[in-house]
Structure formats: structure tokens, C-alpha cells
Amino acid sequence: MNLEEAWNILQKNSFKRTKNRELILEYFMAHDRYITALEVRNELVKDNPGLSYDTIYRNLATFAELSILEETELNGERHFRMQCDVESHHHHFICTNCGKTEHIPFCPMEMMEVTLPHHQIIDHKFEIYGMCPNCL
């Protein structure tokens, strides 16, 4: 996902281009990892003292709802990152220290379908958490 694609999605869904949305999206484009709303606020408020946590959180929720951002929960807190460019179905390894992600190129759901033969699986989410080589 790039900025132009994000703005096209927002425009199609009747969202205006605002300075705050622009700042938030640019921050995510510059950081290829999962980030909390508080981290975004703490960084952006340095140059934009009037930017509130509520504004950031609302926009992050909207961006996630529109699939501009991916979302995961880590330690009971929502974390966000730009939608990755890998178009095929995949999952992620997420570093719990720095938030960087790596793609897992296969899906473990094939095993689940064998394990649960009489069940209808509607959806799933699979992520692995740990420490990346740089953080070890």
C-alpha cells in the first residue's frame, strides 16, 4: 500500500484529505512495523502540539476498517502497520521488541481442516510473536 492508494480508498469512502490524516499516513509509510496509537501521538505531537490522541486513534481505527492499515493486538493493545504489499494469502512473524514483521509464506489452516473435519471454518488469524535476529 502506498500513499496514493490510501488516499484513493479514503476518497472513495468520502473522507477528506486533512493535515492530520496526512501526518499519520506519512508516519506509517516511514516505519515498516507495527505501531501503537500512543507511539504515533508521542512522535507527531512534537511538531504538532494540537494533535490529540483521540484524533489519532479514530483515524487509525478508520484506516484499519478500510484495510489501509493492518491491525493486531499485542499485550492487550492495538498495534497498526501499513497494509503489506504481498497480495497472496500469508501470515506474519512479529517481533515483540521492535514491531518489525516478516512474511510467513504458508498457511497452517490446511492442518486445521484435517484436524477439524466436521467444522466450518469461516475465518482465521495466525501470527507468530517473538524476537527478530536484530533484537536478540
Side-chain angles (χ1 to χ4, degrees):
M1 172 85 48
N2 62 41
L3 283 176
E4 185 179 328
E5 292 169 327
W7 285 119
N8 287 338
I9 292 169
L10 287 164
Q11 185 178 21
K12 284 180 190 174
N13 288 277
S14 303
F15 287 94
K16 294 179 181 175
R17 188 174 192 138
T18 66
K19 178 186 175 192
N20 290 338
R21 288 185 181 126
E22 201 163 304
L23 290 169
I24 294 167
L25 287 172
E26 286 174 357
Y27 187 79
F28 275 91
M29 289 300 296
H31 298 85
D32 184 25
R33 61 186 174 83
Y34 278 97
I35 305 168
T36 65
L38 185 58
E39 182 181 343
V40 173
R41 185 204 152 274
N42 289 346
E43 267 313 301
L44 296 183
V45 78
K46 293 174 185 175
D47 295 324
N48 306 281
L51 186 58
S52 74
Y53 179 80
D54 288 342
T55 296
I56 292 168
Y57 199 85
R58 255 191 333 272
N59 279 291
L60 295 181
T62 297
F63 297 162
E65 187 178 307
L66 296 174
S67 297
I68 294 169
L69 297 180
E70 294 178 3
E71 178 182 353
T72 192
E73 187 174 314
L74 186 58
N75 299 324
E77 189 172 13
R78 291 170 81 181
H79 288 67
F80 303 89
R81 74 183 291 266
M82 287 301 287
Q83 190 69 252
C84 60
D85 292 332
V86 177
E87 293 183 22
S88 62
H89 180 76
H90 67 282
H91 298 281
H92 294 117
F93 170 88
I94 303 168
C95 180
T96 56
N97 188 52
C98 70
K100 290 193 178 196
T101 64
E102 291 184 34
H103 300 287
I104 301 170
F106 67 92
C107 180
M109 287 307 294
E110 293 171 9
M111 293 186 318
M112 296 312 299
E113 291 169 354
V114 170
T115 306
L116 301 168
H118 304 292
H119 296 75
Q120 179 185 14
I121 298 171
I122 298 168
D123 197 6
H124 69 282
K125 184 174 185 176
F126 182 78
E127 297 168 329
I128 298 175
Y129 300 96
M131 300 263 288
C132 71
N134 290 337
C135 291
L136 283 176

